[in-house]
Amino acid sequence: MNIVIIGQGAIGLLWYHHLAKSSKNAVSLFCSSRTTFIPSHYGFTDINLQSDELALTVADNAAFTDAELILICVKSYQVKAVIEALKSKISAHVIIVFCHNGMGACHNLADLQQSCLTLLTTHGCKINSPFHAQHTGLGHCDLGSIHGKISPLMRANITSTLEQALPTLTFTNDIKTKQWLKLAINCVINPLTAVENIDNGQLLDERFTPIITELISEIITVAVYEDVKFNFDELQEKIMQVAKNTAKNCSSMRSDMLQQRKTEIDYINGYIVSLAKKSGIPVPKNEKLVQLVKALSQVD
Ligand code: PAF
């Protein structure tokens, strides 16, 4: 399959690395326009701490024209600009897959003729240095349709291509619930690890139980207004399981903050706060975390 991956962050390189391994795929990477130097090789440290330097194929205009699948692995606040830039250079039949944290970034898809999917992951991955990613925690991926129609054949083809590259992966017809589950995971893990400057696993310490409990309760209340129902104990267990599986991981929000980059807080806890406002629901803990992250990150 002809695949273009947009974004050289941790998730972009994770997918590039795994998809490029198969001779059935022609994979190229499109880097952010702010990148001053694109190396001929990238580094990858796998889950068993095995490191490799591998050739990097950079996407040119022909790669975009020929692409059957485009994976957009950029930050949620960059999604809108990427969609606009893509419109003039891709075929009407290409399938676009969004792989970013948070919700609310894909609200301008209505006039897009291409079909779009979203890919949610609980894999832990980090950037050790520019163009060197490390896979730090095994996870699962869920794929689902968010815009337009996709033929059963194409759907099966994309699912098996992605599943073979990075198992396990499931195509789901109920992507909304999965998006909310991922949102809830990010609403708890990301801001708390960022504000406290701790690894994900440290959230298992019982001093965090009260704040985690309150955050989850607020998220469940807001989710009900979006027709998504969670059981408190099940949701809490799932969130703590991700914290455990990615125990040594530095969350993406903490990394952004440490590197003085803009965070995705507006699309994570900020998304909960904006929905809550519309429905008149108080969400003080989520609101407080949005304020704290913004105050500490300086660039938000
Ligand atoms: O944003 C992140 O860091 C990741 O989505 C997750 C799953 C919380 C692991 O660090």
Side-chain angles (χ1 to χ4, degrees):
M1 186 172 267
N2 291 333
I3 306 169
V4 175
I5 293 168
I6 302 183
Q8 73 275 27
I11 295 295
L13 287 180
L14 178 75
W15 278 108
Y16 180 89
H17 179 73
H18 286 93
L19 286 163
K21 271 184 190 171
S22 167
S23 57
K24 288 190 220 157
N25 299 326
V27 189
S28 55
L29 184 75
F30 186 78
C31 304
S32 125
S33 54
R34 283 171 291 117
T35 318
T36 45
F37 172 70
I38 303 176
S40 59
H41 288 69
Y42 71 100
F44 194 84
T45 303
D46 72 16
I47 201 80
N48 303 312
L49 298 175
Q50 182 75 44
S51 293
D52 264 324
E53 290 286 316
L54 299 130
L56 182 67
T57 304
V58 175
D60 54 15
N61 282 341
F64 278 101
T65 318
D66 297 344
E68 296 164 280
L69 184 67
I70 296 181
L71 259 64
I72 303 185
C73 306
V74 299
K75 295 283 182 187
S76 42
Y77 51 81
Q78 296 166 327
V79 167
K80 195 174 171 211
V82 168
I83 297 171
E84 285 309 314
L86 273 182
K87 278 180 182 166
S88 60
K89 50 180 179 181
I90 54 173
S91 104
H93 308 291
V94 64
I95 305 288
I96 300 176
V97 179
F98 293 97
C99 321
H100 57 81
N101 277 338
M103 283 176 79
C106 295
H107 54 81
N108 58 337
L109 301 180
D111 61 338
L112 205 65
Q113 49 180 325
Q114 291 81 4
S115 300
C116 301
L117 306 175
T118 190
L119 178 57
L120 309 168
T121 183
T122 54
H123 282 276
C125 196
K126 63 175 183 178
I127 289 287
N128 287 343
S129 56
F131 291 92
H132 189 134
Q134 180 175 353
H135 194 180
T136 50
L138 280 177
H140 174 78
C141 293
D142 285 297
L143 186 65
S145 175
I146 54 167
H147 170 73
K149 283 202 162 46
I150 176 164
S151 73
L153 187 66
M154 189 46 125
R155 183 188 123 162
N157 202 356
I158 289 173
T159 306
S160 75
T161 300
L162 297 174
E163 219 268 330
Q164 277 165 28
L166 192 55
T168 55
L169 178 143
T170 321
F171 189 96
T172 173
N173 289 320
D174 185 18
I175 196 66
K176 192 174 172 189
T177 305
K178 303 281 183 187
Q179 283 179 297
W180 268 87
L181 173 61
K182 170 81 174 149
L183 180 71
I185 291 168
N186 287 135
C187 279
V188 172
I189 297 183
N190 294 32
L192 291 178
T193 53
V195 167
E196 297 281 333
N197 195 16
I198 51 172
D199 288 344
N200 294 357
Q202 288 174 263
L203 290 178
L204 298 164
D205 189 304
E206 60 185 31
R207 78 186 161 103
F208 291 110
T209 310
I211 176 74
I212 291 176
T213 304
E214 286 180 277
L215 282 171
I216 295 175
S217 300
E218 290 182 8
I219 295 161
I220 290 178
T221 310
V222 175
V224 169
Y225 284 79
E226 294 293 303
D227 287 326
V228 177
K229 290 186 181 56
F230 286 118
N231 169 284
F232 181 90
D233 291 338
E234 278 171 25
L235 184 57
Q236 187 178 38
E237 201 187 310
K238 281 184 177 148
I239 294 171
M240 299 328 284
Q241 193 59 50
V242 175
K244 206 170 164 183
N245 291 350
T246 61
K248 293 207 171 73
N249 206 15
C250 175
S251 76
S252 55
M253 193 173 286
R254 180 182 170 214
S255 305
D256 289 340
M257 216 142 139
L258 290 172
Q259 287 164 55
Q260 286 161 10
R261 285 190 309 239
K262 188 176 162 83
T263 73
E264 296 179 289
I265 193 76
D266 286 336
Y267 297 86
I268 299 178
N269 305 76
Y271 184 69
I272 295 290
V273 172
S274 68
L275 288 181
K277 273 202 182 117
K278 277 186 210 152
S279 309
I281 308 163
V283 286
K285 297 295 169 194
N286 279 278
E287 220 160 351
K288 181 85 198 154
L289 280 176
V290 173
Q291 286 163 7
L292 268 175
V293 168
K294 288 195 176 223
L296 289 170
S297 76
Q298 290 156 6
V299 282
D300 277 304

